[in-house]
Amino acid sequence: MTQQDVACYSLDQFDGMRAAGRLAAATLDYITPFVKPGVTTGQLDKLLEEYMRDHGAVPGTLNYHGYPKASCISANHIVCHGIPGDKILYSGDIINIDITPILDGWYGDTSRMYYVGTPSVKAKRVCEAAYFSMMAGIEKALIGNTVGDIGRAIETVAHNERFSVVEDFCGHGVGKSFHMLPNILNYGKPGEGMMLKEGMIFTVEPMVNTGGPEVQILSDGWTAITKDRSLSAQFEHTIGITPNGPEIFTLSPKGYTFPPYPEDA
Ligand code: MF3
Ligand code: CO
Ligand code: CO
């Protein structure tokens, strides 16, 4: 891959991403009070789909390479791409909800962790580690830095907590399509890899495991779980590179960052 393969947008095109990102984040805000013991992931998916459509968007995951749902909902040892269905949420579960509404052709890709009832101390710790590793990566998203600077910042936060980062999935360029270059690996060496340029738009989405980094894909062809069945957590923001630093398109309108959210009280 060369630097030329990477889509760069002009800063006046960022408005489309601002709107798509804001809707994605508002959708995650909206679902917060529904994440309770007893609800199924399929019921949450229906609500998410309705909200996105009611606000003029189409769920980007639906039929994406055959993916069947409007969201990915990944509980506990599921690393990512959990398919919503009959799974009932129980107190103590931690879940990631990942959505990508397409609004006026622009893809806003974001995910957060949610607590169902009261999770264990370790479950809370891995959620917080995933959040702070994502934010550490975003802080390095500066013109002239490289993707290796982002990856190193991400893995350092996870390793300081004695957790591992998944190496089989990465952040990605996004904008007028869902997945493109650059790849934003969740590990790396400072100064190595592709250089960051003004107008690049990509996601930062580290997955942090309490055990080892290895994953396994279930027979549905999508669901990724930790090989050792340890807990996994992930957050995702979509950002754009500007001369003033990273602009986060998917910030919560309600100011939510990591759980517990105000509704959980
Ligand atoms: N939203 C995921 C990401 O962050 C991709 C999901 S693709 C799907 O890149 F097909 F699994 F939905
Ligand atoms: Co993504
Ligand atoms: Co996503």
Side-chain angles (χ1 to χ4, degrees), residues 61 64 67 72 81 98 100 109 172 178-179 205 222 236:
T61 57
Y64 179 76
Y67 186 81
C72 298
H81 303 164
D98 190 345
T100 310
D109 190 4
H172 51 90
F178 200 165
H179 291 108
E205 50 175 308
W222 286 104
E236 175 175 26

Side-chain angles (χ1 to χ4, degrees), residues 9-258:
Y9 300 88
S10 64
L11 295 183
D12 50 271
Q13 285 182 296
F14 273 28
D15 278 341
M17 284 305 292
R18 290 188 180 110
R22 193 179 318 112
L23 175 59
T27 307
L28 292 184
D29 286 355
Y30 158 77
I31 205 67
T32 308
F34 296 101
V35 179
K36 287 275 180 295
V39 75
T40 69
T41 55
Q43 288 167 334
L44 294 176
D45 181 76
K46 276 278 150 290
L47 292 167
L48 292 160
E49 176 163 8
E50 265 170 37
Y51 189 92
M52 289 187 268
R53 291 193 189 280
D54 286 350
H55 291 80
V58 174
T61 57
L62 198 58
N63 302 318
Y64 179 76
H65 294 283
Y67 186 81
K69 294 288 175 178
S71 64
C72 298
I73 304 184
S74 305
N76 302 325
H77 65 290
I78 301 180
V79 172
C80 63
H81 303 164
I83 302 174
D86 296 335
K87 189 223 156 16
I88 299 169
L89 298 185
Y90 294 101
S91 181
D93 287 345
I94 54 169
I95 65 166
N96 174 277
I97 301 181
D98 190 345
I99 49 160
T100 310
I102 311 167
L103 187 65
D104 297 327
W106 295 95
Y107 288 68
D109 190 4
T110 187
S111 80
R112 290 179 206 152
M113 297 303 297
Y114 296 80
Y115 296 163
V116 183
T118 313
S120 69
V121 169
K122 194 177 230 184
K124 291 179 179 172
R125 275 186 56 223
V126 74
C127 291
E128 291 178 14
Y131 177 78
F132 287 109
S133 66
M134 172 188 69
M135 292 309 289
I138 291 172
E139 275 176 32
K140 296 288 179 185
L142 304 170
I143 294 169
N145 275 359
T146 69
V147 297
D149 294 309
I150 296 176
R152 172 55 61 87
I154 287 170
E155 66 177 341
T156 298
V157 171
H159 293 163
N160 283 345
E161 296 295 321
R162 301 289 179 267
F163 295 144
S164 66
V165 295
V166 172
E167 301 189 353
D168 296 23
F169 297 98
C170 58
H172 51 90
V174 65
K176 291 218 175 196
S177 61
F178 200 165
H179 291 108
M180 49 196 167
L181 294 176
N183 289 327
I184 309 297
L185 302 182
N186 298 315
Y187 58 93
K189 292 202 172 71
E192 291 194 358
M194 197 176 281
M195 192 174 294
L196 305 180
K197 294 257 194 321
E198 173 174 325
M200 282 185 178
I201 296 176
F202 55 80
T203 72
V204 179
E205 50 175 308
M207 299 145 189
V208 176
N209 298 348
T210 61
E214 298 84 8
V215 306
Q216 193 182 317
I217 309 293
L218 298 187
S219 58
D220 61 21
W222 286 104
T223 311
I225 64 171
T226 54
K227 207 169 171 198
D228 59 11
R229 309 297 194 264
S230 65
L231 290 172
S232 188
Q234 180 183 28
F235 282 82
E236 175 175 26
H237 271 316
T238 296
I239 69 172
I241 304 300
T242 87
N244 303 319
E247 177 174 342
I248 303 177
F249 297 124
T250 47
L251 283 178
S252 159
K254 289 199 169 182
Y256 294 174
T257 52
F258 59 91

